[in-house]
Amino acid sequence: MQFSFPLWFPTSVAILCAAVGATAAPHLPIDDAQVLERLPSRTTPQFRELKVLQAAAAQAPNDLSRAVALATAYVRASRVEGDPRFLGYAEATLAPWWKDPAAPNAVLVLRATIRQSSHRFDDAVSDLNLVLQRDPRNAQAILTRATVLTVQGRYEEARADCDRLGRVAPQIYGVICAAAIDSLTGRAGSAYDSLERALLTLPRIDGAARVWGETLLGEIAHRRGDPAAEAHFRAALAVGDRDLYLLGAYCDWLLDQARPGEVLALLQNETRVDPLLLRLALAQKALNRPEAGQSIDALAARFDASHARGDTVHQRENARFELALRGDPQSALRYATADWQVQREPADLRILAEAAAAAKDAAALAVVRTWLTETGFEYPAIAALAGDRRLAAK
Amino acid sequence: MKRWLLIVAAAGIAWLAGQVHAHKPSDSYLTLSVESETISGQWDIALRDLDFALGLDANQDGEITWGEVRARHADIAAYALSRLRLGPATAPCPVKVTQQLIDDHSDGAYSVLRFTATCAAAPKTLEVGYRLFFDLDPQHRGLIRLEYRGATRAGIFSVDQPEQKFTLTQLSRWEQFLDYGKEGVWHIWTGFDHILFLLSLLLPAVLVHSTVAGRGWQPAQSFRATFVDVVKVVTAFTLAHSLTLSLAALGVVSLPSRLVESAIALSVVLAALNNLRPLVYGRRWVIAFGFGLIHGFGFASVLSDLGLPQDALLIALVAFNLGVEIGQLAIVGIFLPIAYALRSSGFYRRVLFAYGSTAIAVIAFVWLTERALNVQWIGA
């Protein structure tokens, strides 16, 4: 069941034609006051800060510190808005240094962040390796590398970075980083306990660390079937920062608990963000809402548009869409398998297992079982899907 | 503490790996249609992107209104066109925006620029240079679709690939001829109104209307007489529609399409009714000729939808017309032997002829009401 990328090429022209053609008809609005597009809020302090940084950088485009400040603000905006355009703006801001293999450390760290977001994980790691050769105590680089290595499933290297991180950054970062990896490698119980204790006792825990830590606790509890997940997700939400990942993780838990009504309430206004629209559509479908059809159409159009531009960063969501909303296990399995070649996070394994089980694909199920055995990853629901009774009972 | 601001931000970012592409990234959609030396195009550009480049949101309230876009139409056109090159770098084809509209894509509203470019000569290869937004957002992509002589090609522009070359394979005259011929055949076979009109006139060809009152239609005695009758009808229809097709295609005469389509439907109704209560029987070729003139205008509108190559106008016209005739002869060739063989049976006269003509009249009447809807003098 190996998925090969060249499979895409013959179909890409057809998809592109569909995407270019599939729109409503161009029209002439009648009313000057008609609102055509809503932009991210312009009244927030973040937006004002962005404006100031833009002006400063525009005055001196080759000034490294101004460019780095602006690019950092863009990267942050991309996270808050979930809009990859900001990553492009950050890249453009760093243009004078972008192609330089030995660019300054601050540029390399940002470049690694931007590259990993388009799934160029190996390029990101090599940028970070260079930073850490020059400056072994660069906490930012250590943390980003640990994260990228985790996504790639390179747990031992990632775990070493977490230990290093604990020595150069506030301790809580090292604990969260380590707990994230331990929870994937057969030590979920102890990771959960030590992280929970650390969040209660350690000093210097800011809002972002708390959101990250509580979300991780929620996810571990979710996988272990522990109802404590809810309290952790709520603690993370209570910090008050808009966090799209947290919203997605909490909604996944709610969907698994058969509480789609709450998902509806949480995501009603998040239809621009594709992974959240996906969860909204799942909730609408579970509730037999007529709006489900609209959401499914919108998702299909966005996946088509993404294929047309040659992107493959959406394959996890695409697989889930095909399986749960289109009811096409074969297609879902193709996406899930391709996704698994690139990303090895719990969500990637779960959709692979679900699609493989639905498609009754023994080879793909064996991939899942092998992964569970080799890493010790504890996720009984996946083990049950993969037909591993021993791990499922754990 | 400032140092930790960065790490906190990046912690979230890194941790969001794989989730960052939550929105659709920035794309524009460029469609070009090449017709000898003229290129007509449509370019859909996201308002979000134009706002970042040009600041469309004049009052900074986070909402882009139609008024704000309209006020900047000249800037939008100038900004976009200065970043698109059609034709070789040494002699680009001048581009003129003809219309600016709005369209909604899956990820928001887009400004739609329609334009035409006129090249010095019909290009054999079309070079396209695309630089929109690459300086602001290197992750931007331009998705192009090129239409030429019924074939469509696609391509993606990126910061690393801002130039594309499309070879416009020149069809030989013979291939063009075949293309338009096929379209003609296809049109008559899929144009049920033309087929039904022809059938209405052909159904009685294997019968003779008795001059003795009350005896109605009787089977024709000789194949020769039937054949001559068919030839007369088909030839009259052909001559008539060729005449008007040519006049309309050459732009000598033009009629509103609703009028033409309604009249075609009416012609089918009348031809079918004529079988049930014959007013004209010996000289049905006259009906064929009269209404054939109307059908010709119908063919012409199909031909103009296909796009007439200015350099090969006559070839296209003749080929399309020949295609129509061949398609028509094929129908006659299938119909006539069967009808002739069945002509003496009650099935032919009562079922095929009577009910068939009635059914045709009813269907055509429905078309008539549909096509003429809102036209008072027809009275739907």
Side-chain angles (χ1 to χ4, degrees):
Chain A
M1 236 359 265
Q2 200 74 10
F3 187 92
S4 68
F5 279 85
L7 261 182
W8 284 110
F9 296 131
T11 51
S12 64
V13 168
I15 291 166
L16 176 53
C17 293
V20 174
T23 63
H27 59 277
L28 205 61
I30 304 155
D31 185 4
D32 269 359
Q34 186 186 334
V35 175
L36 304 174
E37 183 68 276
R38 289 197 163 75
L39 301 165
S41 170
R42 313 231 141 172
T43 53
T44 58
Q46 287 84 351
F47 182 77
R48 281 196 293 272
E49 188 203 352
L50 203 56
K51 283 279 148 198
V52 172
L53 293 171
Q54 278 172 345
Q59 278 174 359
N62 288 310
D63 183 315
L64 177 65
S65 64
R66 289 183 189 194
V68 165
L70 178 58
T72 306
Y74 278 140
V75 170
R76 203 176 301 159
S78 87
R79 176 168 119 68
V80 175
E81 299 297 333
D83 190 341
R85 280 178 170 84
F86 287 107
L87 295 175
Y89 302 158
E91 182 179 333
T93 306
L94 299 173
W97 305 273
W98 187 261
K99 295 234 156 99
D100 181 0
N105 280 354
V107 172
L108 288 183
V109 169
L110 285 164
R111 187 164 78 187
T113 305
I114 295 166
R115 282 176 160 179
Q116 67 90 27
S117 73
S118 47
H119 292 189
R120 292 172 58 189
F121 297 130
D122 291 330
D123 292 334
V125 169
S126 71
D127 276 346
L128 296 166
N129 287 346
L130 179 56
V131 174
L132 290 168
Q133 260 173 40
R134 291 172 181 166
D135 174 12
R137 296 180 59 82
N138 188 316
Q140 175 68 85
I142 297 173
L143 175 53
T144 307
R145 189 171 71 180
T147 314
V148 177
L149 293 172
T150 308
V151 172
Q152 288 186 296
R154 292 159 68 178
Y155 297 135
E156 268 176 49
E157 297 158 86
R159 190 63 170 74
D161 275 339
C162 294
D163 293 340
R164 217 169 291 154
L165 184 66
R167 293 194 290 273
V168 297
Q171 214 184 330
I172 187 67
Y173 283 96
V175 176
I176 304 174
C177 180
I181 293 160
D182 291 347
S183 75
L184 304 176
T185 49
R187 283 162 289 171
S190 64
Y192 181 89
D193 294 340
S194 70
L195 177 53
E196 193 173 39
R197 197 168 47 245
L199 280 171
L200 288 171
T201 54
L202 283 182
R204 290 209 292 164
I205 298 177
D206 51 33
R210 190 160 301 280
V211 173
W212 184 17
E214 292 289 358
T215 306
L216 181 57
L217 286 174
E219 289 182 302
I220 298 173
H222 180 182
R223 296 199 284 267
R224 302 170 81 202
D226 179 350
E230 177 154 30
H232 292 302
F233 285 128
R234 283 181 181 272
L237 286 168
V239 174
D241 292 340
R242 176 181 156 85
D243 192 309
L244 305 176
Y245 182 88
L246 165 60
L247 268 179
Y250 183 41
C251 289
D252 281 345
W253 182 78
L254 288 171
L255 287 169
D256 278 349
Q257 304 305 307
R259 287 160 62 178
E262 288 158 76
V263 174
L264 226 53
L266 278 166
L267 300 185
Q268 210 77 67
N269 297 317
E270 298 287 359
T271 53
R272 280 199 102 110
V273 182
D274 297 352
L276 298 185
L277 177 59
L278 175 73
R279 286 154 175 108
L280 178 64
L282 290 168
Q284 287 166 338
K285 192 178 174 219
L287 292 165
N288 284 321
R289 291 293 183 101
E291 306 90 80
Q294 262 173 321
S295 301
I296 291 170
D297 289 347
L299 279 166
R302 288 188 208 172
F303 287 129
D304 282 348
S306 158
H307 295 159
R309 90 194 302 272
D311 270 356
T312 51
V313 291
H314 266 118
Q315 300 191 112
R316 179 202 291 170
E317 284 76 24
N318 218 156
R320 210 167 152 189
F321 174 71
E322 293 293 330
L323 183 65
L325 294 169
R326 279 260 179 87
D328 185 344
Q330 296 300 337
S331 170
L333 185 57
R334 275 197 299 278
Y335 285 113
T337 310
D339 173 57
W340 185 249
Q341 303 309 313
V342 189
Q343 299 194 91
R344 306 277 165 97
E345 290 187 285
D348 304 302
L349 187 66
R350 178 167 168 176
I351 185 60
L352 180 62
E354 287 176 342
K360 300 193 172 60
D361 187 300
L365 287 172
V367 169
V368 175
R369 276 196 306 272
T370 306
W371 183 263
L372 291 174
T373 312
E374 284 182 358
T375 61
F377 180 42
E378 298 139 279
Y379 202 156
I382 290 183
L385 280 171
D388 192 320
R389 288 207 195 91
R390 190 178 53 82
L391 291 174
K394 245 176 148 176
Chain B
M1 206 54 214
K2 196 158 183 230
R3 210 175 135 215
W4 298 121
L5 258 179
L6 179 60
I7 193 173
V8 163
I13 295 152
W15 170 54
L16 266 175
Q19 295 274 357
V20 169
H21 277 238
H23 278 236
K24 194 176 141 316
S26 162
D27 294 320
S28 90
Y29 301 95
L30 178 64
T31 307
L32 299 177
S33 165
V34 183
E35 180 70 63
S36 56
E37 69 272 2
T38 309
I39 303 167
S40 40
Q42 175 174 321
W43 198 359
D44 292 18
I45 308 172
L47 287 182
R48 218 162 237 260
D49 293 328
L50 286 169
D51 175 68
F52 186 76
L54 296 169
L56 297 183
D57 183 16
N59 62 0
Q60 289 285 308
D61 63 350
E63 291 182 336
I64 302 175
T65 63
W66 170 235
E68 285 169 335
V69 173
R70 218 162 49 86
R72 302 295 299 282
H73 268 172
D75 297 332
I76 294 172
Y79 184 87
L81 291 187
S82 66
R83 286 158 177 80
L84 177 69
R85 194 196 74 244
L86 303 178
T90 47
C93 314
V95 181
K96 218 180 111 206
V97 169
T98 53
Q99 203 180 16
Q100 295 197 46
L101 304 167
I102 295 294
D103 197 1
D104 292 310
H105 287 241
S106 68
D107 62 329
Y110 280 58
S111 187
V112 177
L113 273 77
R114 288 199 170 141
F115 58 84
T116 53
T118 316
C119 306
K124 291 201 167 45
T125 56
L126 180 63
E127 291 176 43
V128 183
Y130 181 108
R131 291 186 295 119
L132 185 73
F133 299 138
F134 288 155
D135 53 334
L136 302 175
D137 177 0
Q139 298 188 5
H140 172 80
R141 297 287 181 272
L143 308 188
I144 183 175
R145 187 170 74 162
L146 182 86
E147 290 164 356
Y148 180 69
R149 302 237 154 124
T152 300
R153 265 161 298 168
I156 302 175
F157 292 104
S158 67
V159 70
D160 298 321
Q161 199 182 13
E163 295 279 335
Q164 306 238 8
K165 224 182 238 185
F166 296 94
T167 311
L168 305 179
T169 40
Q170 211 68 35
L171 289 180
S172 69
R173 287 288 141 111
W174 172 239
E175 285 168 315
Q176 262 180 320
F177 188 85
L178 278 184
D179 261 12
Y180 280 92
K182 272 188 229 157
E183 289 292 347
V185 173
W186 187 242
H187 181 63
I188 187 108
W189 283 355
T190 54
F192 289 114
D193 43 5
H194 308 303
I195 294 179
L196 291 189
F197 179 72
L198 207 56
L199 285 182
S200 302
L201 293 180
L202 292 177
L203 276 170
V206 292
L207 306 173
V208 175
H209 198 256
S210 171
T211 43
V212 180
R215 290 195 59 196
W217 294 98
Q218 298 296 319
Q221 291 309 308
S222 81
F223 184 76
R224 193 188 142 81
T226 299
F227 187 75
V228 168
D229 190 50
V230 168
V231 167
K232 275 200 239 167
V233 167
V234 171
T235 308
F237 185 56
T238 302
L239 280 179
H241 72 231
S242 302
L243 183 69
T244 45
L245 168 58
S246 305
L247 288 178
L250 296 171
V252 181
V253 189
S254 88
L255 289 179
S257 93
R258 182 192 272 160
L259 181 67
V260 170
E261 294 302 315
S262 306
I264 289 174
L266 180 66
S267 73
V268 182
V269 175
L270 295 180
L273 288 179
N274 189 58
N275 291 341
L276 302 173
R277 297 291 299 269
L279 292 174
V280 183
Y281 42 91
R283 307 206 304 176
R284 287 192 321 286
W285 63 270
V286 178
I287 306 184
F289 188 86
F291 287 124
L293 292 172
I294 296 292
H295 284 249
F297 284 109
F299 294 140
S301 77
V302 175
L303 195 51
S304 77
D305 287 346
L306 287 175
L308 272 175
Q310 290 309 306
D311 54 333
L313 187 64
L314 208 63
I315 287 183
L317 188 58
V318 171
F320 184 78
N321 215 337
L322 268 178
V324 170
E325 308 322 335
I326 291 168
Q328 189 176 293
L329 282 180
I331 293 170
V332 175
I334 293 167
F335 170 82
L336 191 59
I338 298 172
Y340 192 78
L342 293 175
R343 73 191 190 285
S344 303
S345 67
F347 173 75
Y348 185 83
R349 268 180 293 163
R350 276 189 296 277
V351 180
L352 276 184
F353 185 74
Y355 290 130
S357 295
T358 311
I360 291 174
V362 170
I363 293 168
F365 185 74
V366 173
W367 284 338
L368 178 59
T369 56
E370 279 173 3
R371 294 174 185 186
L373 212 69
N374 294 338
V375 178
Q376 278 303 291
W377 52 267
I378 286 196

